Amino acid sequence: MSAPRLADVVRLLDGRYPPRTAEQWDAVGLVAGDPDQPVRRVLFAVDPVAAVVDEAVEWGADLLVTHHPLLLRPVHSVAATTFKGALLHRLVRSGVALLTAHTNADAAAGGVADALAEALGLLDTAPLQAAPAEALDKHVVFVPVADAERLVDALAAAGAGQVGQYARCAWTSTGEGTFTPGPLAAPAVGRTGEVTRVVEARVEMVAPRRSRAAVVAAMRAAHPYEEPAFDVLELAAWPGGTGIGRVGRLARPTTLAAFAEVVAAAVPATAQGVRFAGDPDGTVQRVAVVGGSGDSLFDEVRAAGVDAYVTADLRHHPASELRERAEFEAREGRTHPYLVDVAHFASEWPWLAHAARTLESDVAGTGATVETRVSTLRTDPWTGRVASPEPTPTS
């Protein structure tokens, strides 16, 4: 099989982790690389740091996909005299493209949150904070029966009729249309001033609202009538199947201490290890997870009614307040989530294997092939930890 072009690989990755779903402050997508270059090897890593770039170059990767952006904050120079510029220069000189999938990968189906939930053995997962489903229109067009199939093809080519993994989805029924062409009309059917009746198909197809102009233009171009009869209906909004974090359940209840051991075994080892807050013997079955920094979502975690929350970068004051409130409300029988804190890098690393497998499968579906590799370098910035000494017994 042949190797895909970089543009083809980017299209497949964007399909899985749409850039439009990234947070407004984020910087995702292709950072460096020629869209026409072939891609035979793809390295996946959490961080675009020097050691990872070395690994990509030494392995002969054509593309490096990282979760964290290299250029999250604006820069005014990428000269090789700066540490970020030096990385970019080395990538470009070595023919290694760089692509970032950050917050768009956090919320996606099969993204960071799903991968962490799966690594911990969570079942029946749903988003912790569901993103709204993409805004949709329903296009309703009346067209002579003989032209209905051609119209469906045209609307599908413009982006209509995609429902999940199914394309060209349409619903049709037939009825009688009637009209009287005016004196300045140039009717495709009928004559000026005469009542005309035509057996027509009613064609209905959904399309993303962002594609409205393109779909309407395609309809007008394909329709035989000078003035097509059509409706564009905005469909109601509802929560989608993606979003920040995941909530699920363990197959059987366990203790907080035992669950923390499960978490430690599921993510890469780091100097921090795994910390937990709460009664070590407390019961845990319903769990929320968020890869990366998650203490801004404590309200959503409480509302989800979970026993434990797994995330990273927990700060003293938010964590202390959550636990104090939980202890206070536990006297009234309310939910009291325990906290399990892991290193930021460790919480996001499980996604890399998911992304690599998915890309190989998607590329194979195009008739091409690509080799992937997941970096096992520990790019967590902390390199050591000294345990506090045991207190000296007092007499």
Side-chain angles (χ1 to χ4, degrees), residues 127-211:
L128 172 64
Q129 186 182 60
E134 181 170 17
L136 297 177
D137 290 335
K138 178 185 282 189
H139 293 257
V140 181
V141 186
F142 300 88
V143 63
V145 171
D147 297 288
E149 287 297 306
R150 185 166 60 88
L151 181 74
V152 169
D153 288 338
L155 298 188
Q162 187 74 36
V163 179
Q165 298 303 309
Y166 296 85
R168 200 182 176 277
C169 299
W171 187 87
T172 61
S173 62
T174 57
E176 184 178 80
T178 182
F179 51 86
T180 301
L184 301 180
V189 178
R191 295 176 180 171
T192 299
E194 294 182 2
V195 175
T196 304
R197 292 181 174 81
V198 183
V199 177
E200 294 180 333
R202 174 190 172 107
V203 176
E204 299 185 26
M205 299 177 76
V206 296
R209 197 162 297 162
R210 57 187 165 82
S211 301

Side-chain angles (χ1 to χ4, degrees), residues 125-368:
T125 57
L128 172 64
Q129 186 182 60
E134 181 170 17
L136 297 177
D137 290 335
K138 178 185 282 189
H139 293 257
V140 181
V141 186
F142 300 88
V143 63
V145 171
D147 297 288
E149 287 297 306
R150 185 166 60 88
L151 181 74
V152 169
D153 288 338
L155 298 188
Q162 187 74 36
V163 179
Q165 298 303 309
Y166 296 85
R168 200 182 176 277
C169 299
W171 187 87
T172 61
S173 62
T174 57
E176 184 178 80
T178 182
F179 51 86
T180 301
L184 301 180
V189 178
R191 295 176 180 171
T192 299
E194 294 182 2
V195 175
T196 304
R197 292 181 174 81
V198 183
V199 177
E200 294 180 333
R202 174 190 172 107
V203 176
E204 299 185 26
M205 299 177 76
V206 296
R209 197 162 297 162
R210 57 187 165 82
S211 301
R212 179 183 294 176
V215 173
V216 171
M219 179 274 297
R220 289 187 178 278
H223 205 290
Y225 287 176
E226 183 179 23
E227 294 291 346
F230 68 97
D231 298 318
V232 179
L233 310 175
E234 294 189 353
L235 299 184
W238 61 88
T242 63
I244 298 175
R246 293 295 183 268
V247 176
R249 62 176 179 84
L250 298 170
R252 58 188 62 84
T254 187
T255 65
L256 175 59
F259 177 61
E261 294 284 349
V262 170
V263 175
V267 300
T270 61
Q272 171 185 317
V274 174
R275 306 183 297 177
F276 63 85
D279 179 4
D281 296 320
T283 301
V284 173
Q285 184 167 28
R286 185 168 168 81
V287 177
V289 302
V290 167
S293 304
D295 61 15
S296 64
L297 294 161
F298 280 168
D299 287 344
E300 288 78 6
V301 170
R302 285 173 43 76
V306 299
D307 303 311
Y309 178 37
V310 181
T311 188
D313 297 342
L314 290 181
R315 296 168 295 164
H316 173 86
H317 290 295
S320 176
E321 289 187 359
L322 180 76
R323 289 301 307 143
E324 284 293 300
R325 181 174 181 176
E327 291 295 335
F328 177 79
E329 294 182 348
R331 296 178 297 181
E332 303 174 3
R334 300 186 190 180
T335 302
H336 49 282
Y338 303 127
L339 299 175
V340 181
D341 183 41
V342 304
H344 191 118
F345 154 81
S347 72
E348 296 169 334
W349 187 85
W351 167 69
L352 303 179
H354 280 244
R357 288 195 303 269
T358 300
L359 180 62
E360 286 190 6
S361 175
D362 289 347
V363 169
T366 68

